[in-house]
Amino acid sequence: MDPRQRAINAFQRRFAGGPAWLVRSPGRVNLIGEHTDYNDGFVLPMAIDRAIWVAMRPRQDDIVNVLALDFGEEAGFRLAQLEKGGPAWSEYLKGVAWALSEAGYPLCGWEGVIAGDLPIGAGLSSSAALEMAVAKAFSTAAGWPWDVKEMALLGQKAENQWVGVQCGIMDQMICAGGRAGHAMLLDCRTLAFTHVPLPPDCVVVVLDTGTRRGLMNSAYNERRAQCEEAARIMGVPALRDAAPDELERWAGRLDPAVYRRARHVVGENARTLQAAEAMRRGDAPELGRLMNASHISLRDDFEVTGPALDAMVECAWEHPACLGARMTGAGFAGCAIALVTAAGAGDFVEQVAACYRRRTGLEPQAYVCAASAGASATSA
Ligand code: GLA
C-alpha cells in the first residue's frame, strides 16, 4: 500500500476520526553541484517521487503527538516545554518546532501519523524531507503562509543546532521548493533559485548501492574544514569566489589534499552552471558528460565516493543507454544517479543491477524516478 494511504488508515485506527490534512514532503537527488552548497556555490537538485507523508489534525492545545509508522514508535511533547530525549526521529520534530518558535512563528499542537517510501540514510535526504514535512504541518495547523527560503533555513537550523549535523542548505531548499518536471538551480549564497526543465526523452534513474553511511558525519566535517582552510589561505570569503586560474596560482602554498578539495569545488561550480545551461537547451548528452566529470572529480579530488559507489557508476557508464552517471548527496555510501535515454531505461535498470551484483556481491535497488513538486499540504 502507498504511504499516503497507510498514514490515513493508521491515523483512523490511532486517533479516531479522520485526518484534516495530508502533508507530502519529497526526497531529492542532486543532478550536479556536490559539496558546493557550504562553499556558497551552485547546486542543481530535483525533488523525487518518493516522499514522507503526514496525516494530521490540529489540536486546541500545545501538544504534538505523532506515530512514526515505519518505526512503530510514538512520541509526544508540549510546545511550551521542548527538550531533548526520546526516539531519534522525534528530535527532528522538536528541533523544527524549536527553530520555528525562535523565529517568532505562532505554533499550535497537532496529532498525526508519519509514513514514507523514502529509504532512510540512503543519501536521498530523508532528514530534510522530515524537517520540511514537520514545518509544513505546523504552517498548516496554525495557518501561516509557506516561504521556501525561510522554511529551508529554519529546517537547516534545526538540523545544525538541535540534531547536531552540519549540513548545508541544498536539501531543505529543494524539498521546500521543488517543481514537478524540473530541477532547481540554486545559488547557495543568495538562495536565489530558478527551475530548469529536465531534457526531453531521458529519465533519471536512482541507483541505490545498498550501503549506508557510517562515519560519514566526521568525514563530511573534515571536508568542510578543508574547504574553509583553502578559502582562508587564498583570502576569499568562500571557494565560490575563487576562479580556476587564481586557484592554480595558490597551488604551491596549499596542502596537497586541501588543494585537491578546492579544485573539486571550483570545477564543480563551473560544471553546475554549464549543466543548467545544457538543460535549458535540452542538451541531455552535455548534461550527462558534466555528470561524469563530476563523479571523477568527487572520486579523485574530493575523495568521497568509495568502492560501492564507484562500482555502481562504472556499471552505469558501460550501458549504451547511459548519458551520464555519478554519485549523489554527501557520498561514501547510499545512492548514485544516472541520466538514461527513456527508450533504454528498462534494460538499463536490469543490466546495471546485475552488473553491480556481480562485481560487489551486494543487493542494489534501481528505479526510474520522476521530478516532483516540493512539500505540500492538501485537505483530507
Ligand atoms: C549532504 C548535505 C548537503 C550537501 C551534500 C553534498 O546532502 O546535507 O547540504 O552538502 O551533502 O553536496
Side-chain angles (χ1 to χ4, degrees), residues 28 33-35 37-38 167-171 220 329-330:
R28 66 99 187 86
E34 214 67 84
H35 289 278
D37 64 349
Y38 54 80
C167 61
I169 192 63
M170 164 170 73
D171 305 341
Y220 184 87

Side-chain angles (χ1 to χ4, degrees), residues 99-179:
L100 289 168
S101 65
E102 287 269 293
Y105 284 91
L107 301 183
C108 71
W110 49 276
E111 49 212 6
V113 174
I114 302 179
D117 59 2
L118 189 60
I120 294 164
L124 299 178
S125 270
S126 52
S127 307
L130 181 54
E131 288 151 19
M132 292 302 98
V134 172
K136 197 73 185 181
F138 278 115
S139 93
T140 307
W144 34 265
W146 184 255
D147 181 283
V148 171
K149 287 183 203 173
E150 269 281 303
M151 292 303 112
L153 284 167
L154 292 173
Q156 183 197 28
K157 181 177 173 182
E159 187 153 347
N160 290 171
Q161 296 182 30
W162 189 281
V163 180
V165 175
Q166 295 310 309
C167 61
I169 192 63
M170 164 170 73
D171 305 341
Q172 290 80 4
M173 280 294 292
I174 181 61
C175 182
R179 180 187 291 178

Side-chain angles (χ1 to χ4, degrees), residues 244-268:
D245 53 339
E246 205 179 334
L247 177 62
E248 286 318 306
R249 274 190 274 115
W250 283 90
R253 277 169 286 178
L254 296 173
D255 168 88
V258 168
Y259 166 69
R260 282 184 289 114
R261 307 297 186 244
R263 186 166 65 183
H264 164 72
V265 173
V266 170
E268 186 79 351

Side-chain angles (χ1 to χ4, degrees), residues 172-343:
Q172 290 80 4
M173 280 294 292
I174 181 61
C175 182
R179 180 187 291 178
H182 292 70
M184 173 191 269
L185 175 65
L186 170 66
D187 179 335
C188 297
R189 170 167 281 165
T190 63
L191 299 189
F193 60 88
T194 50
H195 292 109
V196 281
L198 287 178
D201 304 323
C202 59
V203 293
V204 174
V205 177
V206 175
L207 300 166
D208 187 340
T209 61
T211 59
R212 296 294 177 257
R213 60 185 184 217
L215 296 173
M216 196 214 89
N217 216 354
S218 59
Y220 184 87
N221 291 344
E222 185 197 52
R223 297 301 185 283
R224 281 190 78 136
Q226 289 171 319
C227 291
E228 279 157 24
E229 183 183 334
R232 187 173 45 76
I233 293 173
M234 291 172 68
V236 290
L239 283 179
R240 148 75 170 272
D241 304 295
D245 53 339
E246 205 179 334
L247 177 62
E248 286 318 306
R249 274 190 274 115
W250 283 90
R253 277 169 286 178
L254 296 173
D255 168 88
V258 168
Y259 166 69
R260 282 184 289 114
R261 307 297 186 244
R263 186 166 65 183
H264 164 72
V265 173
V266 170
E268 186 79 351
N269 273 328
R271 281 189 289 274
T272 304
L273 293 173
Q274 288 165 23
E277 276 312 307
M279 285 176 73
R280 289 193 181 105
R281 292 194 307 269
D283 187 347
E286 173 68 0
L287 174 60
R289 195 190 62 75
L290 292 161
M291 288 168 69
N292 294 345
S294 168
H295 185 84
I296 291 166
S297 174
L298 287 157
R299 183 190 67 194
D300 299 344
D301 277 353
F302 216 68
E303 296 181 282
V304 290
T305 59
L309 284 166
D310 286 336
M312 185 69 95
V313 166
E314 279 157 28
C315 287
W317 283 344
E318 286 165 23
H319 194 280
C322 183
L323 297 161
R326 58 182 292 276
M327 57 153 269
T328 192
F332 304 105
C335 293
I337 51 165
L339 186 72
V340 179
T341 60

